[in-house]
């Protein structure tokens, strides 16, 4: 059983230090267009945007869940896979906190892509809930280290529902900082808080990485134990 509370906390901490910088541009761009609206209408629009992101994440979670389920059919393959994922998660944690420039290389700037630019501009001008919803879907497609990380957690969940669950929790946790940013455009987090959020998320990410390695080793031990037992019989 996955610890959804821990996943939520980790996503929230990471998003305050990462999402605001990474996806803030899109949020600021559409928020500028909402300036004339009433406070409640703005919240309504921000929810549409975030539901767009969430729809994309559910889809990613579904795909990862299906793949994860196929991988976890064999105990041995599943064991090695969990160890590999755990190692990658630990590496990701180190890069995320200490070498963000390296990670930035894995996040190609798709926003400079002509098709993406045209779609973005189209939905931004289309306006209304529908336009904003599709902007959210576009945001969910942006290459992002955090999405890679949580997609790997969804893969290690080993089931379709758990895989989707991880991505839904991730989507909801990242909603908060982006909504705050959108409602108070120009709201910046001081670097001191950013560092605190980074340190705390580092602890969580390392924890999940180690937990996956531990689960992988346990699976391999169980497999070896069963094989050993069968040879004796």
């Amino acid at each position: 059983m996955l610890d959804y509370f821990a996943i939520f906390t980790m996503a929230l901490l990471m998003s305050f230090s990462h999402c605001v910088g990474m996806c803030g541009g899109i949020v600021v761009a559409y928020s500028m267009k909402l300036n004339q609206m009433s406070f409640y209408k703005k919240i309504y629009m921000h929810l549409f945007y975030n539901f767009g992101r969430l729809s994309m994440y559910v889809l990613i979670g579904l795909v990862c869940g299906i793949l994860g389920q196929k991988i976890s059919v064999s105990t041995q393959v599943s064991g090695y896979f969990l160890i590999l994922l755990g190692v990658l998660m630990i590496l990701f944690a180190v890069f995320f906190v200490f070498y963000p420039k390296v990670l930035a290389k894995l996040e190609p700037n798709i926003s400079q892509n002509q098709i993406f630019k045209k779609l973005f501009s189209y939905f931004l001008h289309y306006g209304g809930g529908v336009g904003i919803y599709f902007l959210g879907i576009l945001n969910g497609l942006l290459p992002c280290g955090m999405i890679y990380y949580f997609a790997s957690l969804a893969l290690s969940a080993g089931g379709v529902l758990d895989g989707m669950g991880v991505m839904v929790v991730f989507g909801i946790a990242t909603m908060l900082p982006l909504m705050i940013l959108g409602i108070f455009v120009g709201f910046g987090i001081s670097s001191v808080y950013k560092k605190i959020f980074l340190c705390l998320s580092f602890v969580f990410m390392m924890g999940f990485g180690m937990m996956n390695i531990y689960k992988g080793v346990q699976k391999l031990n169980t497999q070896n134990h069963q094989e050993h037992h069968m040879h004796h019989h």
Side-chain angles (χ1 to χ4, degrees), residues 44-123:
Y44 183 66
M45 287 300 186
H46 288 308
L47 283 171
F48 264 104
Y49 172 76
N50 281 290
F51 284 136
R53 285 175 54 242
L54 209 52
S55 309
M56 201 63 229
Y57 295 155
V58 169
L59 196 63
I60 293 169
L62 175 71
V63 173
C64 290
I66 292 168
L67 288 173
Q69 208 169 27
K70 296 230 183 301
I71 293 166
S72 65
V73 171
S74 146
T75 313
Q76 195 171 12
V77 173
S78 173
Y80 284 123
F81 177 69
L82 283 172
I83 293 170
L84 175 69
L85 264 185
V87 171
L88 288 175
M89 283 176 172
I90 288 170
L91 283 175
F92 180 90
V94 172
F95 286 128
F96 186 79
V97 178
F98 302 107
Y99 308 102
K101 283 194 172 72
V102 177
L103 208 57
K105 300 252 190 303
L106 299 174
E107 297 177 349
N109 197 349
I110 198 173
S111 54
Q112 296 309 311
N113 177 302
Q114 287 310 312
I115 301 167
F116 187 87
K117 269 184 171 170
K118 282 197 174 108
L119 282 171
F120 181 81
S121 162
Y122 174 76
F123 290 126

Side-chain angles (χ1 to χ4, degrees), residues 21-37:
M22 179 76 187
C23 309
I26 296 180
V27 179
V28 170
Y30 83 76
S31 296
M32 293 296 188
K33 285 185 74 78
L34 310 180
N35 275 346
Q36 286 74 40
M37 292 181 183

Side-chain angles (χ1 to χ4, degrees), residues 187-212:
F187 158 88
I189 277 191
S190 79
S191 56
V192 177
Y193 286 121
K194 243 183 181 173
K195 285 195 175 106
I196 294 169
F197 290 136
L198 265 181
C199 291
L200 289 171
S201 51
F202 179 70
V203 172
F204 271 97
M205 287 151 79
M206 293 295 279
F208 272 100
M210 287 170 185
M211 193 172 77
N212 267 351

